[in-house]
């Protein structure tokens, strides 16, 4: 008996001198993380509420979201390490009762924060426009910090193994309730804080059957997400394989070429302003058949060197969106490559003949004065997509991949009621969706300032009339019973009737 008493005394002393120091250090770390987690959750909720009605977020807001997610991932990693480190000690029957209580309080407090942060993340961004973004790679400071974030978080907090382990530790803490109260008095504020942090009633009260059902449902959702992701990747790969060769297949010569093309370029140089939108049709190429509607490509004019400089594209203080991308492409921009367009290779700055010309038909749309308050903001946001690969999934809510028309959608202010169209369950945005937004009445946010139908060029009111005579009968009109779409369709019908 004396020998056993000595062993018990030595084990308590060992825990007190070595493990307790580690426990106290991790407890202080967890207290700091609790404060950071509270602020982070408030930030998530505020950000989601602030952007609830938007179709896209600005470059600056996008950077804030990525930083917040990177912070979440770092906090989650530290909490996970603390939970894992003390979970085994809490369930180890050879550890004395006080040691198990201390280990349980710390590991369960970490589990509570993991649950709280995960719930907040899912509540803020699940089933929103941000869900697609947060389930794609999150890059922060050049490194991927998370992939499939929302899907993984949901699966982890509902996994049978994790919840079963939490339930066991809760039983340990309940079993040593008297020792826990004594330690709260003996060790003071830190133990009281950890006990107060534990909020896992949901796990404590659930039955084995309910826990199993929750885990199976989470696995089912993860499997469905995996299948959807696999289908999306397969679809994108198939479309890319079929699309890329069609660009090189020429059925005939384009209508606007040679001397006619040079004349168009001269006319455009004296006409264009920053943020002007290009639309073109290339019926002489096979890839034109694969794109719904009349127009097949879109691009944005950034301005000449003087205009880009005045708008702050080359200023780090004014351009918080894309300064580093601009610096990488500064030489090309200075040499007249001011046409930004998303190509099958990547998004790049080109001159007129990069891809926009030659073509069969070309139009230039200009935002009306009430649409853009800050043209510099638009071109800076557009440039953040330079170098991104082509989005063969044609999903307008993706940010790491983009198509030519999505470039316009993401760069322009979100108060424009862009008409998107659902294809295979994803919102898409085609060049025709841009084209339908140009007209003379106040319903249209853009006007046509230049149009060439392949035979002759038009400007001013003539351009508007010729544009709708050619484009109107073949336009891919917006779908969806929204007020903006109804007003737009009514205005388009009036234009068609007048032409």
């Amino acid at each position: 008996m004396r020998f056993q008493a000595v062993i018990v005394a030595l084990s308590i002393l060992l825990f007190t001198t070595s493990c307790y120091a580690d426990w106290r250090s991790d407890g202080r770390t967890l207290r700091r993380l609790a404060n950071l987690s509270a602020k982070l959750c408030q930030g998530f909720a505020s950000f989601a509420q602030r952007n609830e009605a938007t179709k896209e977020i600005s470059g600056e807001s996008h950077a804030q979201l990525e930083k917040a997610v990177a912070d979440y991932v770092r906090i989650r990693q530290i909490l996970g390490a603390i939970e894992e480190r003390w979970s085994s000690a809490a369930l180890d029957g050879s550890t004395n009762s006080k040691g198990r209580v201390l280990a349980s309080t710390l590991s369960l407090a970490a589990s509570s924060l993991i649950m709280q942060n995960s719930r907040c993340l899912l509540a803020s961004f699940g089933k929103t426009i941000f869900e697609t973004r947060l389930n794609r790679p999150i890059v922060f400071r050049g490194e991927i910090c998370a992939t499939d974030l929302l899907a993984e978080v949901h699966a982890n907090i509902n996994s049978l193994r994790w919840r079963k382990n939490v339930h066991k530790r809760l039983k340990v803490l309940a079993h040593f309730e008297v020792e826990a109260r004594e330690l709260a008095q003996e060790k003071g504020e830190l133990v009281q804080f950890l006990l107060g942090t534990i909020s896992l009633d949901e796990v404590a009260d659930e039955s084995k059957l309910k826990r199993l059902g929750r885990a199976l449902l989470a696995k089912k959702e993860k499997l469905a997400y995996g299948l959807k992701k696999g289908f999306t990747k397969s679809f994108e790969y198939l479309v890319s394989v079929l699309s890329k060769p069609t660009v090189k297949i020429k059925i005939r010569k384009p209508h606007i070429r040679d001397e006619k093309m040079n004349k168009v370029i001269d006319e455009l140089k004296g006409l264009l302003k920053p943020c002007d939108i290009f639309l073109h049709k290339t019926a002489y190429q096979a890839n034109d058949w694969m794109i719904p509607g009349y127009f097949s490509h879109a691009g944005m004019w950034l301005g000449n060197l003087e205009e880009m400089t005045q708008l702050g594209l080359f200023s780090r203080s004014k351009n918080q969106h894309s300064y580093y991308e601009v610096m990488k492409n500064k030489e090309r921009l200075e040499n007249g490559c001011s046409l930004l367009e998303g190509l099958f290779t990547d998004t790049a700055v080109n001159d007129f003949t990069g891809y926009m010309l030659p073509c069969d038909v070309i139009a230039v749309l200009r935002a009306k004065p009430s649409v853009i308050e800050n043209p510099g903001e638009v071109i800076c946001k557009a440039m953040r997509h330079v170098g991104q690969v082509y989005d063969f999934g044609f999903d307008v809510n993706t940010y790491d991949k983009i198509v030519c028309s999505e470039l316009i959608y993401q760069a322009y202010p979100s108060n424009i009621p862009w008409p998107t169209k659902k294809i295979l369950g994803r919102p898409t945005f085609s060049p025709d969706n841009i084209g339908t937004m140009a007209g003379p009445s106040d319903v249209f946010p853009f006007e046509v300032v230049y149009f060439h139908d392949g035979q002759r060029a038009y400007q001013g009111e003539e351009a508007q009339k010729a544009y709708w005579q050619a484009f109107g009968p073949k336009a891919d009109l917006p779908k969806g019973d929204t007020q903006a779409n109804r007003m737009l369709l009514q205005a388009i019908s009036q234009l068609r009737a007048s032409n």
Side-chain angles (χ1 to χ4, degrees):
M1 292 295 290
R2 287 182 180 179
F3 179 75
Q4 290 177 347
V6 170
I7 293 297
V8 171
L10 285 174
S11 65
I12 293 173
L13 180 63
L14 181 64
F15 180 84
T16 304
T17 55
S18 59
C19 294
Y20 181 66
D22 294 337
W23 176 89
R24 194 168 187 82
S25 175
D26 282 349
R28 288 171 175 170
T29 299
L30 194 139
R31 171 176 267 179
R32 290 194 295 270
L33 292 180
N35 293 329
L36 291 174
S37 295
K39 292 178 181 177
L40 190 64
C41 287
Q42 289 176 1
F44 280 157
S46 175
F47 183 92
Q49 187 177 11
R50 190 167 62 248
N51 294 280
E52 183 179 9
T54 62
K55 291 184 178 179
E56 57 89 27
I57 54 175
S58 70
E60 187 175 354
S61 295
H62 190 251
Q64 290 174 357
L65 179 61
E66 290 197 331
K67 183 182 182 305
V69 169
D71 289 340
Y72 168 84
V73 171
R74 283 198 296 270
I75 290 173
R76 173 70 184 247
Q77 288 172 344
I78 298 171
L79 289 173
I82 292 174
E83 179 189 37
E84 185 177 356
R85 185 181 307 137
W86 295 99
S87 176
S88 56
L91 300 175
D92 187 358
S94 63
T95 305
N96 64 79
S97 59
K98 288 189 176 181
R100 294 183 71 180
V101 169
L102 289 173
S104 297
T105 56
L106 188 52
S107 63
L108 287 170
S111 301
S112 293
L113 287 179
I114 288 173
M115 176 77 82
Q116 173 188 317
N117 294 349
S118 300
R119 291 289 188 211
C120 178
L121 186 78
L122 293 169
S124 298
F125 301 118
K127 310 301 181 186
T128 70
I129 63 165
F130 305 105
E131 185 171 43
T132 301
R133 177 67 195 100
L134 294 184
N135 274 330
R136 298 183 82 91
I138 305 294
V139 180
F140 182 68
R141 293 179 179 171
E143 295 183 2
I144 296 177
C145 64
T147 303
D148 299 335
L149 182 64
L150 292 185
E152 290 296 333
V153 165
H154 184 266
N156 289 340
I157 64 171
N158 288 293
S159 72
L160 183 62
R161 182 179 178 183
W162 184 76
R163 296 178 84 89
K164 189 175 180 180
N165 187 283
V166 170
H167 194 267
K168 285 180 179 179
R169 283 178 278 142
L170 285 169
K171 288 179 70 175
V172 169
L173 191 59
H175 180 73
F176 294 111
E177 184 179 357
V178 175
E179 286 84 349
R181 286 200 297 268
E182 290 176 355
L183 279 170
Q185 294 176 352
E186 179 186 336
K187 302 299 182 184
E189 187 183 356
L190 187 55
V191 176
Q192 293 173 16
F193 168 77
L194 293 175
L195 287 170
T197 303
I198 298 171
S199 177
L200 292 162
D201 293 341
E202 174 190 319
V203 181
D205 297 337
E206 68 185 0
S207 64
K208 292 181 180 180
L209 187 61
K210 187 175 182 180
R211 192 186 313 141
L212 177 61
R214 187 190 293 274
L216 289 174
L217 184 62
K219 282 187 176 293
K220 178 186 174 184
E221 290 184 4
K222 188 175 181 181
L223 178 62
Y225 170 75
L227 291 172
K228 182 180 177 181
K229 183 180 178 183
F231 172 78
T232 300
K233 283 190 173 182
S234 301
F235 174 78
E236 290 178 6
Y237 177 75
L238 180 63
V239 172
S240 68
V241 169
L242 295 175
S243 300
K244 288 177 181 177
T246 60
V247 179
K248 300 177 182 179
I249 300 175
K250 316 292 183 186
I251 301 166
R252 55 170 172 78
K253 290 184 178 181
H255 295 323
I256 302 175
R257 66 182 190 275
D258 303 330
E259 290 302 318
K260 187 180 289 186
M261 184 181 75
N262 293 332
K263 185 179 179 182
V264 168
I265 292 174
D266 290 338
E267 290 172 344
L268 290 174
K269 284 181 178 178
L271 171 75
L272 292 172
K273 293 183 179 180
C275 304
D276 282 352
I277 298 172
F278 280 84
L279 297 173
H280 86 178
K281 181 172 181 61
T282 53
Y284 71 96
Q285 290 182 165
N287 74 310
D288 187 83
W289 303 344
M290 302 181 68
I291 301 171
Y294 184 76
F295 291 110
S296 58
H297 184 59
M300 179 186 290
W301 181 251
L302 302 173
N304 58 38
L305 182 59
E306 183 181 353
E307 289 169 331
M308 287 187 290
T309 303
Q310 288 178 349
L311 292 173
L313 190 64
F314 301 103
S315 170
R316 187 170 185 172
S317 60
K318 294 181 180 179
N319 182 5
Q320 313 233 343
H321 309 287
S322 57
Y323 176 76
Y324 295 107
E325 294 300 333
V326 170
M327 290 299 103
K328 289 178 191 175
N329 293 271
K330 187 176 181 182
E331 186 176 347
R332 288 180 59 78
L333 291 166
E334 289 176 340
N335 291 330
C337 293
S338 297
L339 180 57
L340 181 64
E341 48 190 349
L343 306 175
F344 281 170
T345 51
D346 61 356
T347 302
V349 286
N350 292 314
D351 57 19
F352 290 108
T353 58
Y355 183 72
M356 192 61 66
L357 291 170
C359 63
D360 285 342
V361 176
I362 190 167
V364 177
L365 314 185
R366 181 170 296 159
K368 294 176 180 177
S370 59
V371 175
I372 302 179
E373 293 182 7
N374 186 354
E377 180 87 359
V378 175
I379 65 171
C380 290
K381 283 169 63 178
M383 278 295 293
R384 78 175 188 250
H385 296 288
V386 170
Q388 289 185 347
V389 296
Y390 197 81
D391 179 17
F392 287 102
F394 307 105
D395 187 345
V396 78
N397 283 332
T398 56
Y399 292 86
D400 55 333
K401 299 178 181 180
I402 203 160
V403 301
C404 60
S405 48
E406 289 174 11
L407 182 68
I408 310 300
Y409 180 97
Q410 299 295 351
Y412 266 86
S414 57
N415 58 1
I416 298 175
W418 293 117
T420 57
K421 182 178 180 181
K422 280 214 167 186
I423 298 177
L424 295 176
R426 69 198 72 188
T428 61
F429 188 68
S430 70
D432 269 24
N433 292 142
I434 302 172
T436 56
M437 302 295 280
S441 71
D442 293 339
V443 174
F444 299 96
F446 296 90
E447 60 184 344
V448 183
V449 295
Y450 183 87
F451 181 70
H452 200 300
D453 61 3
Q455 302 300 320
R456 57 165 291 194
Y458 302 87
Q459 295 188 34
E461 291 184 5
E462 286 189 342
Q464 189 85 349
K465 187 174 181 180
Y467 173 87
W468 275 102
Q469 284 177 341
F471 169 61
K474 301 175 182 178
D476 185 19
L477 297 179
K479 306 293 191 298
D481 190 22
T482 65
Q483 184 179 3
N485 281 358
R486 288 195 296 270
M487 292 174 64
L488 188 61
L489 287 169
Q490 184 179 0
I492 290 172
S493 298
Q494 292 173 354
L495 271 177
R496 282 176 163 178
S498 63
N499 289 327

